[in-house]
Amino acid sequence: ELDAQVYVSKSRPDEDSPEMLPSKRYHHLVLEGARAAGLNADYIAELEKHAVYEPSAETLEARRKLLAIAPESLPQVSVAEFAREAAAAKECDPPGSAARRVAVCGYVFEIPASKGDMGFDLHIGRDTTTRFVLQLIGISLDENDDHGRAPFPVFEKQLSAAEQEYVLCWLDHYYEKSGRAHPVAFVKEYAETQRRGQSEWQHPRSE
């Protein structure tokens, strides 16, 4: 007997929403698991036809405008300050009544408490860029997590096109979660790394 978890959409999938459809990575994992378990061929055929998330033209335009926001135009928050803010928010009474902040590619998004359970508490109070790279290439997150601390990768120089796109899909996700609100801050150390164009960050596959 095995314990398992399954993600289930809470509402009807909307092809234009980053919230509903599975990522290509997750779809691939489900398919590989179904094949390895020897599940019914008809069921696997249905899984193969399942739609996956592809950013719409509207989402790509929103992403373009978001990435055009200069990091230096936003309040700078250090990794340590960001973590302290998250810890303080967790102490709010009643629990879950405070907004949560998450960073992707250095951009800090504030997720209103009205959005309910985020589902990924480990994303709160940190930059998630490296964590998503690990996730995409199948390296253990628990054993190799950087906890959102430097060194950070030089995004366009050290990540492949596929890795960049996967991280940017998560940027879409949290921008949507924030209600498409303007980022509230930028992670200071991440900004410094991109400005320098050099980093001690090592790609997990090279270690």
Side-chain angles (χ1 to χ4, degrees), residues 16-28:
D16 290 327
S17 172
E19 300 300 311
M20 296 295 111
L21 296 174
S23 67
K24 292 177 182 177
R25 180 198 72 89
Y26 187 70
H27 183 244
H28 174 74

Side-chain angles (χ1 to χ4, degrees), residues 125-170:
R126 54 170 292 171
D127 185 86
T128 51
T129 304
T130 295
R131 185 175 177 87
F132 293 143
V133 173
L134 293 173
Q135 187 177 65
L136 178 64
I137 63 180
I139 290 180
S140 171
L141 301 180
D142 293 335
E143 295 177 8
N144 299 280
D145 194 3
D146 69 338
H147 302 288
R149 296 191 289 260
F152 295 111
V154 180
F155 191 78
E156 294 185 354
K157 183 177 179 181
Q158 293 183 286
L159 301 186
S160 70
E163 290 162 352
Q164 290 178 33
E165 180 59 23
Y166 185 71
V167 173
L168 291 173
C169 284
W170 277 99

Side-chain angles (χ1 to χ4, degrees), residues 67-80:
L67 294 173
I69 299 173
E72 59 269 20
S73 72
L74 297 168
Q76 303 290 292
V77 59
S78 71
V79 167

